[in-house]
Amino acid sequence: MDSKGYYDDNGTYTPPAIEANEKKNGKINDGFVLDEKPVDKGDVILDRIGDDEEEDPWKVTSLSQNYTPWNELSQNGKILRVIGYFVKVILVLAALYMFICSLDFLSSAFKLLGGEAAGKVFQQNDILSNPVAGLMMGVLVTVLVQSSSTSTSIVVSMVGAGILKIKTAIPIIMGANIGTSVTNTIVAIGQISDKGEFRRAFAGATVHDMFNWLSVIVLLPIEIATGYLYHLSGVIVDSLPLNREGDKSAKKDILKVITKPFTSLIIQVNKDAIKQIANNKDPEFDESHAIMKVCCDKTTPSKCCSSKLKSLASSPAFSFLNTDSTYSTSHKLSVCQNEELRSCAKRDGPDAIATPGNCTDAWAYSNVTRSKTMEWLDCSMFNGATTETNSCNTFLNTLGSLTPGSVNHSDACLRIQPKFTSQDHTFSLQNCTSSWVNKTVEYTAMTDEMSCTRWAKHVEQKTCNKECEFLFKGLYPTLNDKEIGGILLVISLVILSVCLVCMVKLLHSLLRGPMAVIIKKFVNADFPGPLGYLTGYLAILIGAGLTIVVQSSSIFTSTLTPLVGIGVIELDRMYPLTLGSNIGTTTTAVLSALANSGDKLLDSLQVAFCHLFFNITGILLFYPLPFMRFPIPLAKFLGNRTANYRWYAIVYIFVMFFIFPGAVFALSLPGWYVLAGVMGPIFLLFIIVAIIKVIQAKAPQILPTKLQNWKFLPKALRSLEPYDRVMMKIFFCKRFQMQKQQPNSPMSPSYVKNTRF
């Protein structure tokens, strides 16, 4: 049956006679055009014109396909089409589910491969105090664990524990914002086989990168110079009526309720292990810093042991635990054999009873943190000179432990009074006598300490009461974390690629005829009239809301990337959705902060707000004014490069997320002067080249003749073509070489492809 005609952007069908007349007059320039060849009902042939024939390669408008209108289908044809659509929708949802699960596997694989290294990086507080080093470490750590939620949660917990200062944490949070965009950049490579799709997909993924890098380039120097984010977040946190008790149930997983039943059958990762390594603590069950989850107890023997030890220390029989000394073997054995402590192992019989030999293995002479309550006087409150305040503090230190009730306030103040002799001090005997307070201080002492981890492992020989059961558990401990992570990485990438290809093929098949026009028009449409300017802000809100639901910006943007590739979502619409996703992902850090209490809550929440306002400030810089939306043209530049040189995408990922951050981090370690000495000239050269490029494009006549183009440079310095020839020979298949060498061949983008579904 001959079913010629076409659908315009409104989804209106134009009959064959009118279509022929409009085609003759050149009125048909986009929409869905039906081939002139006769096609059997139900046999759909999709003809897609290559991107080189598109007026705008960033918008899929020139689609040509044979499509039998609904009213021309037979009854059986209509039934088959409905069933076909239903089956394809189910398959798309199944592919999407597995795609999201593969992202979870990918994150777990990277945690297993790089989690220990990432945790140890955070132990280097003196290095992280350098803001540039902290920024690059934030990038590298987030790439290693494939999750900004994980890296920001680690930072928030370290600030809450007093290990990191808030000002030190801010650059790390900025780096985490950059590192999280690597996931959707990797996903974009799944569409590398089609030039047009790859161009759009890679641009849609890297628009996230460009926004994050530009925001950091602008805001990091401002933060270093003024402390803008630190002071703004501090004012907001101080003004909030907070419940300092915290909320241990603050974090809610929504998407994982759906995916966890499946992913937990394959792999389980100890989410607290990296935090414990970062905080310089052993994981609860294994001193080798195992990232893979082994115990599924609600309370493991080691955690139970820790709480029992505290109660034992408060009893008179075990008061020696509060002293700073080396304990006798009998003392240690009395602790190891304590029935209340042994109940943590939940044994059925009396096996593995502690002996002097294995009990000793659970103890070590090490630094422990003690606390004591003492009476103290704040010498700085009297506004004396520095020497006077120091002299006052020195005197207080000579009084000894200053236990409550041991100090004669009047006598001590009489002896302090002569130390304040300057004219500006406000010392008085009355103020001094009434200003003594009790305060609890912590100090470090050397003493024997029992490790509950070693107790469970060497004494009770039972690190878990309930071991986890999942597929990869059978490989442990024959294979270590890194080896299992490598296997899982390969599997996750295969699943991700297969799901991505399936989704793209199914979406191509589904989005045909008027349905494609309607969906594309709805997603990319603007509000009418002056309200059109507000469309992007609605997209930002939608992006933020959906990211809050899935609790992962990586999952949200990675799901959108294939849709940008096939042209359903345009790059101009992807940009505000990505900005909203950046805001939505900050809720993870806020929820993590709310799980703390007291001053930890305030500090942790301040860091989380720094993350939020960093993204909001970036949006205010690079979105409201259209000419300031630099990430879009930069992403298009990268998309064009990768469309012409496919290997460029791989190089980009390694350079921007590994080599460049690693090199800058290494240069920042000796000091800022080394970094400035090496990177300064490179940055200056980059600025000069950028200025010349702009002038070459806008007003080349004002430049010297030689600088009006780059032909005076060797080709290797002005073109990627020499590198492309090498890359094609080494890495890529003949298909891509044919595309570049034979523009009129069937593999060329300008060739109209017929793909039968």
Side-chain angles (χ1 to χ4, degrees):
M1 174 180 175
D2 195 351
S3 57
K4 295 182 290 183
Y6 79 96
Y7 287 91
D8 61 18
D9 283 341
N10 295 317
T12 303
Y13 175 68
T14 302
I18 300 176
E19 180 238 355
N21 183 50
E22 291 191 357
K23 182 179 281 189
K24 179 179 180 181
N25 296 327
K27 293 182 180 180
I28 300 178
N29 52 18
D30 63 5
F32 289 85
V33 185
L34 301 184
D35 200 345
E36 296 182 0
K37 298 177 182 179
V39 183
D40 293 335
K41 285 184 179 181
D43 186 14
V44 179
I45 299 177
L46 175 64
D47 293 338
R48 183 167 179 174
I49 296 177
D51 288 284
D52 290 349
E53 295 184 7
E54 294 275 5
E55 291 182 6
D56 184 356
W58 303 103
K59 295 184 179 181
V60 180
T61 56
S62 299
L63 288 174
S64 172
Q65 66 175 343
N66 288 303
Y67 182 83
T68 305
W70 176 264
N71 56 7
E72 294 186 13
L73 289 172
S74 64
Q75 189 66 27
N76 289 338
K78 291 179 180 179
I79 294 173
L80 289 174
R81 179 169 290 183
V82 171
I83 294 174
Y85 276 134
F86 179 77
V87 171
K88 288 174 184 177
V89 168
I90 297 297
L91 291 175
V92 167
L93 293 177
L96 178 62
Y97 178 82
M98 289 303 300
F99 175 75
I100 294 173
C101 290
S102 71
L103 291 176
D104 191 272
F105 295 148
L106 187 68
S107 177
S108 297
F110 273 98
K111 285 184 177 74
L112 291 168
L113 283 168
E116 183 177 353
K120 288 181 177 178
V121 163
F122 279 120
Q123 295 177 10
Q124 311 301 319
N125 292 345
D126 52 336
I127 295 175
L128 297 179
S129 60
N130 180 330
V132 177
L135 172 72
M136 295 306 162
M137 273 298 92
V139 176
L140 291 171
V141 168
T142 305
V143 171
L144 285 175
V145 300
Q146 276 289 286
S147 171
S148 63
S149 299
T150 299
S151 55
T152 53
S153 296
I154 291 172
V155 173
V156 167
S157 67
M158 292 180 71
V159 170
I163 298 172
L164 279 181
K165 294 181 179 178
I166 297 174
K167 287 188 175 181
T168 302
I170 292 174
I172 303 174
I173 292 290
M174 292 182 179
N177 229 45
I178 294 173
T180 190
S181 57
V182 69
T183 306
N184 53 320
T185 310
I186 293 173
V187 168
I189 297 177
Q191 290 170 276
I192 197 171
S193 61
D194 185 284
K195 179 179 179 180
E197 289 183 5
F198 190 43
R199 182 203 312 273
R200 289 183 290 270
F202 199 79
T206 54
V207 75
H208 195 186
D209 306 2
M210 295 301 101
F211 170 77
N212 289 330
W213 277 109
L214 287 174
S215 298
V216 166
I217 290 171
V218 173
L219 294 180
L220 181 62
I222 294 175
E223 179 63 24
I224 294 172
T226 66
Y228 152 69
L229 292 172
Y230 174 78
H231 295 300
L232 175 62
S233 58
V235 169
I236 293 175
V237 168
D238 290 341
S239 65
L240 294 176
L242 296 172
N243 175 14
R244 291 174 177 250
E245 294 302 317
D247 182 5
K248 297 298 181 183
S249 61
K251 187 171 182 179
K252 304 293 183 183
D253 290 324
I254 299 175
L255 185 65
K256 287 191 176 182
V257 172
I258 304 173
T259 59
K260 193 173 181 179
F262 174 69
T263 58
S264 61
L265 295 176
I266 309 300
I267 188 69
Q268 295 182 37
V269 175
N270 180 15
K271 62 182 180 180
D272 294 325
I274 301 175
K275 289 183 183 180
Q276 291 169 326
I277 297 171
N279 293 329
N280 204 19
K281 296 179 181 178
D282 289 339
E284 63 189 45
F285 55 83
D286 195 334
E287 292 179 285
S288 63
H289 290 169
I291 307 297
M292 192 163 69
K293 193 172 184 179
V294 177
C295 290
C296 283
D297 308 54
K298 288 186 177 180
T299 303
T300 60
S302 59
K303 280 189 175 181
C304 173
C305 162
S306 297
S307 62
K308 297 292 184 182
L309 273 180
K310 291 180 181 178
S311 63
L312 286 179
S314 62
S315 64
F318 295 95
S319 59
F320 61 86
L321 292 173
N322 299 316
T323 62
D324 303 333
S325 62
T326 302
Y327 307 142
S328 66
T329 302
S330 59
H331 278 150
K332 294 177 182 178
L333 198 57
S334 66
V335 175
C336 291
Q337 293 182 345
N338 180 268
E339 288 299 325
E340 187 177 354
L341 189 67
R342 293 200 68 237
S343 66
C344 291
K346 296 183 180 178
R347 289 192 173 278
D348 297 329
D351 52 332
I353 294 178
T355 65
N358 63 20
C359 178
T360 304
D361 292 337
W363 296 77
Y365 197 64
S366 59
N367 286 322
V368 297
T369 301
R370 302 280 191 198
S371 62
K372 62 181 178 181
T373 302
M374 56 190 297
E375 280 194 294
W376 195 255
L377 181 68
D378 183 5
C379 294
S380 63
M381 67 178 290
F382 302 120
N383 301 318
T386 302
T387 54
E388 294 172 340
T389 301
N390 290 341
S391 180
C392 173
N393 286 327
T394 301
F395 169 75
L396 291 177
N397 288 329
T398 63
L399 294 180
S401 63
L402 302 181
T403 55
S406 66
V407 180
N408 184 317
H409 298 162
S410 299
D411 180 61
C413 290
L414 284 172
R415 297 172 65 181
I416 292 172
Q417 185 177 23
K419 302 181 184 302
F420 289 88
T421 58
S422 64
Q423 295 181 349
D424 298 328
H425 76 80
T426 58
F427 181 88
S428 69
L429 289 175
Q430 182 177 359
N431 286 342
C432 177
T433 304
S434 61
S435 299
W436 291 80
V437 295
N438 291 346
K439 73 171 185 177
T440 301
V441 296
E442 292 186 345
Y443 65 97
T444 301
M446 289 291 292
T447 185
D448 262 330
E449 184 184 28
M450 177 173 160
S451 165
C452 284
T453 298
R454 293 191 292 270
W455 168 82
K457 189 174 183 180
H458 299 298
V459 179
E460 291 297 330
Q461 300 168 11
K462 191 175 184 183
T463 55
C464 304
N465 289 317
K466 178 184 178 183
E467 292 193 0
C468 298
E469 297 294 335
F470 51 90
L471 182 63
F472 278 92
K473 175 67 164 52
L475 299 177
Y476 187 85
T478 305
L479 299 180
N480 60 31
D481 283 340
K482 293 181 178 61
E483 292 166 337
I484 294 174
I487 297 171
L488 184 61
L489 177 62
V490 174
I491 294 174
S492 63
L493 288 175
V494 170
I495 296 175
L496 187 148
S497 300
V498 170
C499 292
L500 186 60
V501 170
C502 291
M503 280 197 300
V504 170
K505 294 293 184 183
L506 287 166
L507 288 171
H508 269 310
S509 179
L510 279 170
L511 301 179
R512 302 180 310 192
M515 181 183 294
V517 176
I518 293 170
I519 292 176
K520 285 180 59 184
K521 187 172 182 180
F522 175 78
V523 172
N524 299 294
D526 292 333
F527 291 135
L531 294 178
Y533 180 76
L534 301 177
T535 308
Y537 295 97
L538 176 62
I540 291 175
L541 293 176
I542 292 173
L546 292 176
T547 304
I548 291 172
V549 169
V550 301
Q551 283 286 289
S552 172
S553 61
S554 297
I555 290 177
F556 177 71
T557 55
S558 296
T559 304
L560 294 185
T561 297
L563 298 178
V564 178
I566 65 175
V568 175
I569 299 177
E570 295 176 4
L571 184 60
D572 289 345
R573 181 65 74 240
M574 176 68 171
Y575 181 51
L577 289 170
T578 296
L579 301 185
S581 179
N582 262 11
I583 293 177
T585 195
T586 61
T587 58
T588 302
V590 173
L591 293 174
S592 178
L594 292 174
N596 292 299
S597 59
D599 292 337
K600 292 181 180 181
L601 170 62
L602 300 179
D603 291 344
S604 302
L605 198 57
Q606 186 172 350
V607 173
F609 279 142
C610 286
H611 191 193
L612 172 63
F613 287 108
F614 166 73
N615 284 306
I616 291 176
T617 306
I619 292 173
L620 294 177
L621 285 173
F622 299 114
Y623 189 77
L625 301 176
F627 67 87
M628 288 292 291
R629 295 173 187 175
F630 300 127
I632 295 178
L634 289 173
K636 287 182 176 180
F637 171 82
L638 290 172
N640 286 327
R641 280 291 178 272
T642 53
N644 293 325
Y645 308 103
R646 312 295 172 90
W647 53 267
Y648 188 82
I650 310 294
V651 173
Y652 170 85
I653 290 174
F654 276 99
V655 170
M656 295 302 290
F657 295 104
F658 294 98
I659 298 174
F660 177 71
V664 174
F665 174 74
L667 289 171
S668 64
L669 294 182
W672 65 267
Y673 47 87
V674 176
L675 178 65
V678 176
M679 297 301 297
I682 297 175
F683 186 66
L684 181 62
L685 178 63
F686 177 81
I687 293 176
I688 293 172
V689 170
I691 293 173
I692 294 175
K693 287 278 288 183
V694 172
I695 298 175
Q696 285 176 344
K698 302 293 184 182
Q701 67 278 3
I702 69 175
L703 290 171
T705 304
K706 196 170 186 178
L707 287 178
Q708 290 181 4
N709 56 58
W710 300 108
K711 290 184 178 179
F712 67 92
L713 292 174
K715 198 166 186 178
L717 294 179
R718 56 184 170 86
S719 173
L720 293 175
E721 188 176 344
Y723 310 104
D724 185 55
R725 289 196 297 268
V726 176
M727 291 290 185
M728 287 296 178
K729 289 179 181 178
I730 297 175
F731 296 110
F732 285 82
C733 63
K734 294 181 180 179
R735 175 185 177 188
F736 293 153
Q737 294 183 34
M738 289 173 61
Q739 280 187 306
K740 296 188 70 64
Q741 296 170 4
Q742 303 176 23
N744 295 321
S745 71
M747 297 310 300
S748 169
S750 60
Y751 182 82
V752 180
K753 295 173 286 185
N754 291 327
T755 305
R756 189 176 297 272
F757 290 87

